[in-house]
Amino acid sequence: MTAELSSSTATGITAPAGFRAAGVTAGLKASGGRDVALVVNDGPVKSAAAVFTRNRVAAAPVHWSRQAISDGRADAVFLNSGGANACTGPQGFQNTHATAEKVADLLGVSANDVLVCSTGLIGEQLPMDKLLPGAEAAAQALASDGGALAAEAIMTTDTVSKQAVFEGSGYSIGGMAKGAGMLAPGLATMLVVLTTDAALDAAALDQALRAATAVTFDRTDSDGCMSTNDTVILMASGASGTVPDTEEFTRGLTEVCHSLAQQLITDAEGASHDIAITTINAATVADAEAASRAVARSNLFKTAIFGNDPNWGRVLSAVGTTDAAFEPDQINVTINGVQVCRNGGIGDPREGVDLTGRAVSVEIDLAAGSESATIWTNDLTTDYVHENSAYSS
Amino acid sequence: MTAELSSSTATGITAPAGFRAAGVTAGLKASGGRDVALVVNDGPVKSAAAVFTRNRVAAAPVHWSRQAISDGRADAVFLNSGGANACTGPQGFQNTHATAEKVADLLGVSANDVLVCSTGLIGEQLPMDKLLPGAEAAAQALASDGGALAAEAIMTTDTVSKQAVFEGSGYSIGGMAKGAGMLAPGLATMLVVLTTDAALDAAALDQALRAATAVTFDRTDSDGCMSTNDTVILMASGASGTVPDTEEFTRGLTEVCHSLAQQLITDAEGASHDIAITTINAATVADAEAASRAVARSNLFKTAIFGNDPNWGRVLSAVGTTDAAFEPDQINVTINGVQVCRNGGIGDPREGVDLTGRAVSVEIDLAAGSESATIWTNDLTTDYVHENSAYSS
């Protein structure tokens, strides 16, 4: 097998051939850190696909990019942190449009082939007098190993940048992501750019991307709050000349997305536990997802895990709010290997559960079928409350 | 108008004629406080109605009481704190049954006319060797002014007992409630007993009760977590001889329920703000409820209010996750009187919003119709996380 998730992720989105990237400082962030990123596809192929937030209150760049990607082509993606450009009205959309035009001029491409992503505080206009010079600086700084700086430039409350690379058979897939709060992708807070030098058309990219995100980002639910700006973009340069096996490509893309999603969970605001909630023996995958997600969104369950308390009653009370097929007296719950709930009642002693580590595994057996799904979430901590009460986003 | 919410609520459920109540210590609570309550309807009418949690993982006493109330008659309600008797299997149901039989023997009535409610930790068996003697002590302590002690005996993490009385035209309505966490009634944690000396049959009680709870307890959503034990019971003694006007009775019952629901919100675990989220100009009442509830369940909105931050972007991003009818560029949001969001964009300066008081009013104008609904909730605080990570419930 040559296909595997690479441990060398330093170059991220510029690992595949045919891409250049940059991350520079435009002055949008109070911290003075890098805050604009540019990713350019040098081809020869320029196919692309994207999925966006399902939030009906979508940011201006989401409206722009949704339209721009509709022809299946993207030459570049421009991203900024330091402002979400959401709930900013006609002026906000004009600012996104002006940004795309500026980048298009700098690169000598059509503005309709420039995607735009923004992240940061909702409800404030972007300072265009800083953003447009930032675009110029980014264009000048483009480099074939610029992925790491681009990944750094899109961070907001992230404490580390997130990158991943998959080495396929004659091609590779790279990715970068940001996101630490308002993190329940229904697909301004979670931005992901994926690149590949495989030769694939937009339809193939779209199919692989939807398959990969459905079981990775869509199952990441740190705090139950869906953002206005979530965007995942996949671009293919075809620079490797390789036409990959569809199944391998989708699997590789899923691995990259999974790695990035795990990095998001690990860096989630204020979290002290990373929790994988797996529902097994469900009648349908949708049932398994619904049961796991209900637990992932229970503040009482999440605070219990913060307190290292294997409170399985809070698991059952959350599952009980769903429409999933199950009989209450047949549910089993296992936390970190201990079956604390058996047949809907008292199982092995909860004292046997060790929750002192960061990783927590919760398995819910619905005894209603053979399907399963995992939702990844975090605990609810005093630090989460502190960070989100003190920081406007 | 003789019909008004009485400010003298000291007697609660024993304000109406024809009821006796008691609250005693059986030893279920580690604190040594009162932990079992008994409410007896001395008639001449013994009609009753009840609504229960919609949680599919329902506690043993919910299963029992749902069956016992089905004939529209209840002679008594026995309640305990110190244990929810939820997820306790066949043994748990047998314990509830034995409790009802014991109370029936003590009162000389049928066990099928004794309702049972429990609240406390999920997933542990009740200590019957303490509970049954507690029932005896409660029966001996029954008094026509025992409402206040009963209200005290059902408290768990509540810091104060909750009672309300409505004085109607020739009759009255009394109520008591408990609940401080796992507080999102879909109708183990929220228990309510309502009494009246009006002469009404079970069908009339049921109709009034469903109307009253739909706009009070069903719109109370402190932490989004639906309990396994929520129960609201309404009993009529007919001791006043008054057959009330249906409309006045329903309004009075709604006022009592509203008062109790507000007392629950005010005493919610760790809360520092009581938040009324009203959606106006919605296409339907269901849309208005959905929009308000989505905001009430946004941890990011709730932490922002904890931080005295009128973060309207978090309001819009929550509303955007619903199916309610609206156009994103027509929504207005007003927080404590300041219209911070106008036409989906930036409104008056957020600096003008004063959030230093405990009461917070959020008004969301969907500009899509003429219906409205309010959901009452709390902020998400470090104290909430602390209390729910340290306390098993």
Side-chain angles (χ1 to χ4, degrees):
Chain A
M1 287 294 287
T2 59
E4 57 182 338
L5 197 63
S6 171
S7 58
S8 162
T9 60
T11 50
I13 51 169
T14 46
F19 291 92
R20 287 175 297 149
V24 301
T25 300
L28 307 176
K29 278 180 180 169
S31 69
R34 298 175 197 275
D35 46 21
V36 302
L38 182 59
V39 186
V40 176
N41 182 354
D42 289 320
V45 170
K46 302 287 185 78
S47 54
V51 290
F52 299 96
T53 182
R54 285 191 289 270
N55 198 312
R56 292 170 58 207
V57 177
V62 169
H63 288 295
W64 171 268
S65 297
R66 202 177 260 148
Q67 176 63 30
I69 195 72
S70 60
D71 62 356
R73 173 178 175 141
D75 291 13
V77 184
F78 179 83
L79 312 95
N80 75 272
S81 53
N85 198 2
C87 304
T88 45
Q91 182 64 49
F93 190 80
Q94 286 169 28
N95 286 343
T96 294
H97 188 173
T99 304
E101 291 282 1
K102 176 74 176 179
V103 172
D105 284 350
L106 290 165
L107 300 177
V109 302
S110 162
N112 286 327
D113 294 327
V114 176
L115 307 183
V116 180
C117 299
S118 299
T119 180
L121 182 63
I122 297 172
E124 294 197 347
Q125 299 293 355
L126 290 173
M128 296 303 286
D129 58 331
K130 295 178 179 171
L131 189 72
L132 296 182
E136 286 184 31
Q140 284 165 10
L142 283 168
S144 60
D145 61 353
L149 294 183
E152 184 186 329
I154 59 176
M155 293 165 61
T156 52
T157 56
D158 308 66
T159 65
V160 294
S161 64
K162 287 99 178 171
Q163 300 185 93
V165 174
F166 173 85
E167 298 291 348
S169 310
Y171 67 97
S172 63
I173 305 173
M176 68 176 185
K178 66 82 48 181
M182 199 173 276
L183 193 53
L187 243 220
T189 311
M190 194 195 71
L191 302 180
V192 178
V193 176
L194 303 160
T195 56
T196 182
D197 50 11
L200 286 167
D201 64 18
L205 294 180
D206 188 70
Q207 190 172 11
L209 182 61
R210 287 177 193 283
T213 56
V215 296
T216 53
F217 297 118
D218 275 351
R219 291 183 180 172
T220 303
D221 192 334
S222 173
D223 62 3
C225 294
M226 191 195 297
S227 157
T228 50
N229 293 49
D230 292 329
T231 300
V232 182
I233 295 167
L234 169 61
M235 296 189 292
S237 69
S240 70
T242 300
V243 178
D245 171 71
T246 304
E247 198 172 316
E248 185 199 78
F249 182 82
T250 301
R251 188 172 63 75
L253 188 67
T254 302
E255 286 186 24
V256 169
C257 289
H258 179 74
S259 170
L260 293 172
Q262 292 300 305
Q263 293 178 57
L264 294 173
I265 286 289
T266 304
D267 194 33
E269 288 168 350
S272 69
H273 289 88
D274 305 332
I275 313 170
I277 304 173
T278 302
T279 297
I280 64 169
N281 296 327
T284 65
V285 172
D287 275 9
E289 269 198 63
S292 290
R293 195 179 296 274
V295 178
R297 291 192 171 179
S298 164
N299 282 351
L300 287 176
F301 166 75
K302 291 155 77 89
T303 50
I305 297 300
F306 170 54
N308 293 341
D309 174 14
N311 195 317
W312 60 268
R314 294 178 181 179
V315 174
L316 258 69
S317 66
V319 173
T321 65
T322 72
D323 293 327
F326 68 84
E327 294 300 326
D329 61 357
Q330 292 178 18
I331 300 179
N332 299 325
V333 177
T334 301
I335 302 181
N336 277 3
V338 180
Q339 194 177 65
V340 284
C341 168
R342 192 172 301 123
N343 296 326
I346 301 158
D348 297 332
R350 59 175 82 197
E351 291 71 23
V353 182
D354 180 3
L355 288 171
T356 53
R358 186 172 175 101
V360 177
S361 153
V362 178
E363 185 187 82
I364 303 157
D365 181 349
L366 292 185
S370 57
E371 300 292 346
S372 64
T374 300
I375 297 287
W376 292 277
T377 190
N378 297 106
D379 53 350
L380 175 57
T381 70
T382 47
D383 282 352
Y384 173 92
V385 175
H386 175 73
E387 186 159 349
N388 283 295
S389 58
Y391 169 82
S392 278
S393 64
Chain B
M1 287 295 289
T2 58
E4 57 182 339
L5 197 62
S6 171
S7 59
S8 162
T9 60
T11 50
I13 51 169
T14 47
F19 291 92
R20 288 174 298 150
V24 300
T25 300
L28 306 177
K29 279 180 180 167
S31 68
R34 297 175 197 275
D35 46 21
V36 302
L38 182 59
V39 186
V40 176
N41 182 354
D42 289 320
V45 172
K46 301 288 186 78
S47 53
V51 289
F52 299 95
T53 182
R54 286 192 289 270
N55 199 313
R56 291 170 58 206
V57 177
V62 169
H63 287 295
W64 171 266
S65 297
R66 201 177 261 149
Q67 176 63 29
I69 196 72
S70 59
D71 63 355
R73 173 177 175 141
D75 290 14
V77 184
F78 179 83
L79 313 94
N80 76 272
S81 52
N85 198 2
C87 305
T88 45
Q91 182 64 47
F93 190 80
Q94 286 169 27
N95 286 344
T96 293
H97 188 175
T99 303
E101 291 282 2
K102 177 73 176 181
V103 172
D105 284 350
L106 290 164
L107 300 177
V109 302
S110 163
N112 285 326
D113 294 326
V114 176
L115 308 183
V116 179
C117 300
S118 298
T119 180
L121 182 63
I122 297 172
E124 293 196 348
Q125 299 293 354
L126 291 172
M128 297 303 286
D129 59 330
K130 294 177 179 171
L131 189 72
L132 297 181
E136 286 183 30
Q140 285 164 9
L142 283 168
S144 59
D145 62 353
L149 294 183
E152 184 187 327
I154 59 176
M155 292 165 61
T156 52
T157 56
D158 307 67
T159 64
V160 295
S161 63
K162 287 97 177 172
Q163 300 186 93
V165 174
F166 172 86
E167 297 292 347
S169 308
Y171 67 97
S172 62
I173 305 172
M176 69 176 185
K178 67 81 48 182
M182 200 175 275
L183 193 53
L187 250 211
T189 309
M190 193 195 71
L191 302 180
V192 178
V193 176
L194 303 160
T195 56
T196 181
D197 50 11
L200 286 167
D201 63 17
L205 293 180
D206 187 70
Q207 190 172 10
L209 183 61
R210 288 177 193 282
T213 56
V215 296
T216 54
F217 297 118
D218 276 351
R219 291 184 179 171
T220 303
D221 193 333
S222 174
D223 62 3
C225 294
M226 191 194 298
S227 157
T228 49
N229 292 50
D230 293 330
T231 299
V232 182
I233 295 167
L234 169 61
M235 296 189 290
S237 69
S240 70
T242 301
V243 178
D245 171 71
T246 304
E247 198 173 315
E248 186 199 78
F249 182 81
T250 301
R251 187 172 63 76
L253 188 67
T254 302
E255 286 186 24
V256 169
C257 290
H258 178 74
S259 170
L260 292 172
Q262 292 300 305
Q263 293 177 56
L264 293 173
I265 285 289
T266 303
D267 194 32
E269 287 169 350
S272 69
H273 289 88
D274 305 333
I275 313 171
I277 304 173
T278 302
T279 297
I280 64 170
N281 296 327
T284 64
V285 172
D287 274 10
E289 269 197 64
S292 290
R293 195 179 297 274
V295 177
R297 290 193 172 180
S298 164
N299 281 352
L300 288 176
F301 166 75
K302 291 156 76 88
T303 50
I305 297 299
F306 171 53
N308 293 341
D309 173 13
N311 195 317
W312 60 267
R314 295 177 180 179
V315 174
L316 258 68
S317 66
V319 172
T321 64
T322 73
D323 293 326
F326 69 84
E327 294 299 327
D329 61 356
Q330 292 178 19
I331 301 179
N332 299 324
V333 177
T334 301
I335 302 181
N336 277 3
V338 179
Q339 194 177 66
V340 284
C341 168
R342 193 172 299 124
N343 296 326
I346 302 157
D348 296 333
R350 59 175 82 197
E351 291 72 23
V353 181
D354 181 3
L355 289 171
T356 53
R358 186 171 175 101
V360 177
S361 154
V362 178
E363 185 187 83
I364 302 156
D365 181 349
L366 292 185
S370 57
E371 300 293 345
S372 64
T374 300
I375 297 287
W376 292 276
T377 190
N378 297 106
D379 53 350
L380 176 57
T381 70
T382 48
D383 282 353
Y384 173 91
V385 174
H386 175 74
E387 187 159 349
N388 283 295
S389 58
Y391 169 82
S392 278
S393 64

